[in-house]
Amino acid sequence: MFISEAYAQAAGGAAAAPGGLESMASSFGIMILIFAVFWFLLIRPQQKRQKEHKKMIDALTVGDEVITAGGICGKILAADENYINLQIAQVEDKPVTITFQRLAIQAVLPKGTVKF
């Protein structure tokens, strides 16, 4: 009453299909084409941006004015291999500094942009 009947499929469905190898080759070709499109539109530009960012990070020096990924603007007071000290303000003629990882720097600003 609640169980429906199951019927067997006719024999030779996959073996009798003409052009099986050609169909598989065209599917493989389409997959390669899709990968190539993704490579040139997504992966390659991202790698290019990463290279430019790394080059900019490596070129940071004391005195550069930068903006962080969090939107904080400041001037680099000290820099080492992994961290930088960023002056973000000046209170009673004393600099207010924050330590950031180099990778947190988003962009280098033109000289004179940051005023204290």
Side-chain angles (χ1 to χ4, degrees):
M1 176 174 186
F2 293 110
I3 300 174
S4 61
E5 296 180 13
Y7 299 102
Q9 185 178 3
L21 185 60
E22 295 165 357
S23 174
M24 188 171 65
S26 67
S27 295
F28 189 66
I30 290 172
M31 288 176 54
I32 289 175
L33 179 67
I34 290 172
F35 179 76
V37 168
F38 272 105
W39 175 264
F40 284 107
L41 294 180
L42 298 174
I43 298 170
R44 189 168 173 254
Q46 180 65 24
Q47 287 177 339
K48 195 173 187 181
R49 279 191 296 271
Q50 285 176 343
K51 276 186 185 177
E52 290 172 359
H53 186 255
K54 183 172 178 5
K55 186 177 176 183
M56 186 247 335
I57 293 296
D58 292 340
L60 290 175
T61 59
V62 174
D64 285 346
E65 296 177 4
V66 296
I67 187 166
T68 67
I72 298 174
C73 296
K75 182 187 277 187
I76 297 176
L77 293 181
D80 65 11
E81 190 174 312
N82 295 319
Y83 298 97
I84 61 166
N85 289 338
L86 195 65
Q87 178 184 356
I88 58 169
Q90 192 162 344
V91 177
E92 298 176 2
D93 295 329
K94 294 180 183 177
V96 178
T97 62
I98 302 177
T99 302
F100 283 97
Q101 287 183 335
R102 279 184 173 262
L103 296 176
I105 303 302
Q106 185 174 3
V108 177
L109 300 172
K111 298 284 183 186
T113 302
V114 179
K115 307 276 191 232
F116 300 114

